[in-house]
Amino acid sequence: MATKKAAKKAPAKKAAKKAPAKKTAKKAAKKAPAKKAAKKASAKKAAKPKVKRKPNAAFMAPKQPHGPLAAIIGDKAMPRTEITKKIWDYIKKNKLQDSVNKRMINADEKLRALFGKAQASMFELTKMVNKYVK
């Protein structure tokens, strides 16, 4: 009987060894098409010539600031993007950004004339600047 039990255990071990081999073969078969798809996708990307993005001419047109805006950034004509950048430089230099809610800007005397109120949101900034740009 001892030989029969040993004979029964031996095939079970072989079956256990073969099962993982089948799984790895299936995994390898699944990975191969994924690699080919990735190569095809990269080949398509390489085929397209990369075009630099052009800035919108309306943003780059020089605008003349006047009134309270000129008192903050100067009266020299510059693009809208540069105007916004200079306002943010002024805000950060004078530490006017609210410490609790960073989206809010606390106005000093110059900014109060521009905003028309004591505190404004950063999202309102361009709307308020447009009033003082020609």
Side-chain angles (χ1 to χ4, degrees):
M1 279 178 84
T3 56
K4 286 184 181 180
K5 284 183 182 178
K8 287 182 182 178
K9 286 184 182 178
K13 286 182 183 178
K14 286 183 183 177
K17 287 182 182 178
K18 287 182 183 178
K22 287 180 183 177
K23 286 182 181 177
T24 55
K26 286 181 182 179
K27 285 182 183 177
K30 287 182 181 178
K31 286 183 182 179
K35 287 182 181 178
K36 288 181 183 177
K39 287 181 183 178
K40 286 181 183 179
S42 63
K44 286 181 182 178
K45 286 182 183 177
K48 285 186 178 180
K50 200 166 195 177
V51 179
K52 273 194 169 181
R53 188 172 163 212
K54 294 180 184 178
N56 189 342
F59 285 119
M60 301 312 289
K63 300 290 181 180
Q64 184 70 38
H66 62 86
L69 181 60
I72 296 169
I73 64 167
D75 59 348
K76 182 181 168 188
M78 61 185 82
R80 289 179 189 271
T81 54
E82 200 65 31
I83 290 171
T84 305
K85 186 176 178 181
K86 291 216 180 223
I87 292 172
W88 273 107
D89 289 342
Y90 177 81
I91 291 167
K92 289 182 180 182
K93 178 183 166 191
N94 295 314
K95 298 178 182 173
L96 298 173
Q97 199 170 3
D98 192 43
S99 60
V100 178
N101 186 357
K102 298 284 186 182
R103 288 186 258 173
M104 299 304 286
I105 301 163
N106 299 323
D108 61 352
E109 293 82 30
K110 290 182 179 181
L111 283 179
R112 187 167 290 133
L114 179 70
F115 295 161
K117 53 186 177 180
Q119 195 177 41
S121 168
M122 66 170 44
F123 304 111
E124 298 172 319
L125 186 63
T126 53
K127 180 181 173 184
M128 294 173 183
V129 165
N130 284 338
K131 294 176 187 175
Y132 300 103
V133 173
K134 291 182 187 175

PDB file of all heavy atoms in Angstrom, residues 31-45:
ATOM      1  N   LYS A  31       1.450  39.336 -23.719  1.00  0.00           N
ATOM      2  CA  LYS A  31       2.365  40.465 -23.708  1.00  0.00           C
ATOM      3  C   LYS A  31       2.901  40.778 -25.097  1.00  0.00           C
ATOM      4  O   LYS A  31       3.156  41.924 -25.416  1.00  0.00           O
ATOM      5  CB  LYS A  31       3.533  40.198 -22.760  1.00  0.00           C
ATOM      6  CG  LYS A  31       3.153  40.302 -21.297  1.00  0.00           C
ATOM      7  CD  LYS A  31       4.338  40.109 -20.432  1.00  0.00           C
ATOM      8  CE  LYS A  31       3.961  40.161 -18.946  1.00  0.00           C
ATOM      9  NZ  LYS A  31       5.114  39.944 -18.096  1.00  0.00           N
ATOM     10  N   ALA A  32       3.076  39.797 -25.917  1.00  0.00           N
ATOM     11  CA  ALA A  32       3.653  40.010 -27.243  1.00  0.00           C
ATOM     12  C   ALA A  32       2.826  40.987 -28.084  1.00  0.00           C
ATOM     13  O   ALA A  32       3.379  41.926 -28.649  1.00  0.00           O
ATOM     14  CB  ALA A  32       3.834  38.682 -27.955  1.00  0.00           C
ATOM     15  N   PRO A  33       1.507  40.849 -28.188  1.00  0.00           N
ATOM     16  CA  PRO A  33       0.745  41.814 -28.983  1.00  0.00           C
ATOM     17  C   PRO A  33       0.785  43.217 -28.383  1.00  0.00           C
ATOM     18  O   PRO A  33       0.759  44.203 -29.104  1.00  0.00           O
ATOM     19  CB  PRO A  33      -0.681  41.264 -28.972  1.00  0.00           C
ATOM     20  CG  PRO A  33      -0.545  39.824 -28.662  1.00  0.00           C
ATOM     21  CD  PRO A  33       0.678  39.713 -27.812  1.00  0.00           C
ATOM     22  N   ALA A  34       0.872  43.317 -27.066  1.00  0.00           N
ATOM     23  CA  ALA A  34       0.920  44.633 -26.440  1.00  0.00           C
ATOM     24  C   ALA A  34       2.205  45.359 -26.832  1.00  0.00           C
ATOM     25  O   ALA A  34       2.202  46.555 -27.088  1.00  0.00           O
ATOM     26  CB  ALA A  34       0.829  44.498 -24.937  1.00  0.00           C
ATOM     27  N   LYS A  35       3.306  44.633 -26.905  1.00  0.00           N
ATOM     28  CA  LYS A  35       4.567  45.242 -27.306  1.00  0.00           C
ATOM     29  C   LYS A  35       4.505  45.696 -28.761  1.00  0.00           C
ATOM     30  O   LYS A  35       4.997  46.750 -29.114  1.00  0.00           O
ATOM     31  CB  LYS A  35       5.714  44.255 -27.108  1.00  0.00           C
ATOM     32  CG  LYS A  35       6.084  44.033 -25.656  1.00  0.00           C
ATOM     33  CD  LYS A  35       7.233  43.089 -25.533  1.00  0.00           C
ATOM     34  CE  LYS A  35       7.593  42.829 -24.075  1.00  0.00           C
ATOM     35  NZ  LYS A  35       8.677  41.863 -23.933  1.00  0.00           N
ATOM     36  N   LYS A  36       3.889  44.883 -29.608  1.00  0.00           N
ATOM     37  CA  LYS A  36       3.771  45.250 -31.016  1.00  0.00           C
ATOM     38  C   LYS A  36       2.896  46.486 -31.173  1.00  0.00           C
ATOM     39  O   LYS A  36       3.201  47.366 -31.967  1.00  0.00           O
ATOM     40  CB  LYS A  36       3.178  44.089 -31.819  1.00  0.00           C
ATOM     41  CG  LYS A  36       4.135  42.935 -32.010  1.00  0.00           C
ATOM     42  CD  LYS A  36       3.506  41.825 -32.824  1.00  0.00           C
ATOM     43  CE  LYS A  36       4.428  40.632 -32.947  1.00  0.00           C
ATOM     44  NZ  LYS A  36       3.806  39.529 -33.665  1.00  0.00           N
ATOM     45  N   ALA A  37       1.823  46.568 -30.399  1.00  0.00           N
ATOM     46  CA  ALA A  37       0.931  47.727 -30.462  1.00  0.00           C
ATOM     47  C   ALA A  37       1.674  48.980 -30.007  1.00  0.00           C
ATOM     48  O   ALA A  37       1.491  50.060 -30.574  1.00  0.00           O
ATOM     49  CB  ALA A  37      -0.307  47.497 -29.616  1.00  0.00           C
ATOM     50  N   ALA A  38       2.503  48.848 -28.980  1.00  0.00           N
ATOM     51  CA  ALA A  38       3.262  49.989 -28.493  1.00  0.00           C
ATOM     52  C   ALA A  38       4.264  50.463 -29.545  1.00  0.00           C
ATOM     53  O   ALA A  38       4.465  51.655 -29.733  1.00  0.00           O
ATOM     54  CB  ALA A  38       3.983  49.625 -27.203  1.00  0.00           C
ATOM     55  N   LYS A  39       4.889  49.514 -30.243  1.00  0.00           N
ATOM     56  CA  LYS A  39       5.837  49.878 -31.297  1.00  0.00           C
ATOM     57  C   LYS A  39       5.129  50.591 -32.437  1.00  0.00           C
ATOM     58  O   LYS A  39       5.633  51.553 -32.997  1.00  0.00           O
ATOM     59  CB  LYS A  39       6.558  48.634 -31.817  1.00  0.00           C
ATOM     60  CG  LYS A  39       7.580  48.088 -30.853  1.00  0.00           C
ATOM     61  CD  LYS A  39       8.283  46.881 -31.421  1.00  0.00           C
ATOM     62  CE  LYS A  39       9.264  46.295 -30.427  1.00  0.00           C
ATOM     63  NZ  LYS A  39       9.920  45.089 -30.940  1.00  0.00           N
ATOM     64  N   LYS A  40       3.914  50.113 -32.795  1.00  0.00           N
ATOM     65  CA  LYS A  40       3.156  50.755 -33.868  1.00  0.00           C
ATOM     66  C   LYS A  40       2.764  52.173 -33.475  1.00  0.00           C
ATOM     67  O   LYS A  40       2.831  53.088 -34.279  1.00  0.00           O
ATOM     68  CB  LYS A  40       1.896  49.943 -34.193  1.00  0.00           C
ATOM     69  CG  LYS A  40       2.177  48.666 -34.955  1.00  0.00           C
ATOM     70  CD  LYS A  40       0.895  47.944 -35.263  1.00  0.00           C
ATOM     71  CE  LYS A  40       1.151  46.617 -35.954  1.00  0.00           C
ATOM     72  NZ  LYS A  40      -0.092  45.893 -36.227  1.00  0.00           N
ATOM     73  N   ALA A  41       2.342  52.365 -32.212  1.00  0.00           N
ATOM     74  CA  ALA A  41       1.937  53.688 -31.748  1.00  0.00           C
ATOM     75  C   ALA A  41       3.120  54.650 -31.766  1.00  0.00           C
ATOM     76  O   ALA A  41       2.985  55.805 -32.170  1.00  0.00           O
ATOM     77  CB  ALA A  41       1.347  53.609 -30.350  1.00  0.00           C
ATOM     78  N   SER A  42       4.289  54.175 -31.345  1.00  0.00           N
ATOM     79  CA  SER A  42       5.459  55.052 -31.344  1.00  0.00           C
ATOM     80  C   SER A  42       5.904  55.361 -32.769  1.00  0.00           C
ATOM     81  O   SER A  42       6.407  56.447 -33.042  1.00  0.00           O
ATOM     82  CB  SER A  42       6.601  54.431 -30.545  1.00  0.00           C
ATOM     83  OG  SER A  42       7.011  53.226 -31.156  1.00  0.00           O
ATOM     84  N   ALA A  43       5.698  54.426 -33.684  1.00  0.00           N
ATOM     85  CA  ALA A  43       6.042  54.679 -35.079  1.00  0.00           C
ATOM     86  C   ALA A  43       5.121  55.745 -35.673  1.00  0.00           C
ATOM     87  O   ALA A  43       5.556  56.590 -36.458  1.00  0.00           O
ATOM     88  CB  ALA A  43       5.934  53.389 -35.886  1.00  0.00           C
ATOM     89  N   LYS A  44       3.846  55.752 -35.283  1.00  0.00           N
ATOM     90  CA  LYS A  44       2.911  56.766 -35.771  1.00  0.00           C
ATOM     91  C   LYS A  44       3.284  58.144 -35.235  1.00  0.00           C
ATOM     92  O   LYS A  44       3.208  59.128 -35.943  1.00  0.00           O
ATOM     93  CB  LYS A  44       1.469  56.428 -35.352  1.00  0.00           C
ATOM     94  CG  LYS A  44       0.880  55.285 -36.141  1.00  0.00           C
ATOM     95  CD  LYS A  44      -0.547  55.014 -35.693  1.00  0.00           C
ATOM     96  CE  LYS A  44      -1.139  53.838 -36.427  1.00  0.00           C
ATOM     97  NZ  LYS A  44      -2.500  53.541 -35.978  1.00  0.00           N
ATOM     98  N   LYS A  45       3.698  58.212 -33.970  1.00  0.00           N
ATOM     99  CA  LYS A  45       4.087  59.487 -33.386  1.00  0.00           C
ATOM    100  C   LYS A  45       5.343  60.027 -34.070  1.00  0.00           C
ATOM    101  O   LYS A  45       5.476  61.216 -34.281  1.00  0.00           O
ATOM    102  CB  LYS A  45       4.342  59.338 -31.882  1.00  0.00           C
ATOM    103  CG  LYS A  45       3.079  59.182 -31.078  1.00  0.00           C
ATOM    104  CD  LYS A  45       3.385  59.079 -29.610  1.00  0.00           C
ATOM    105  CE  LYS A  45       2.122  58.859 -28.810  1.00  0.00           C
ATOM    106  NZ  LYS A  45       2.398  58.688 -27.387  1.00  0.00           N
TER     107      LYS A  45
END
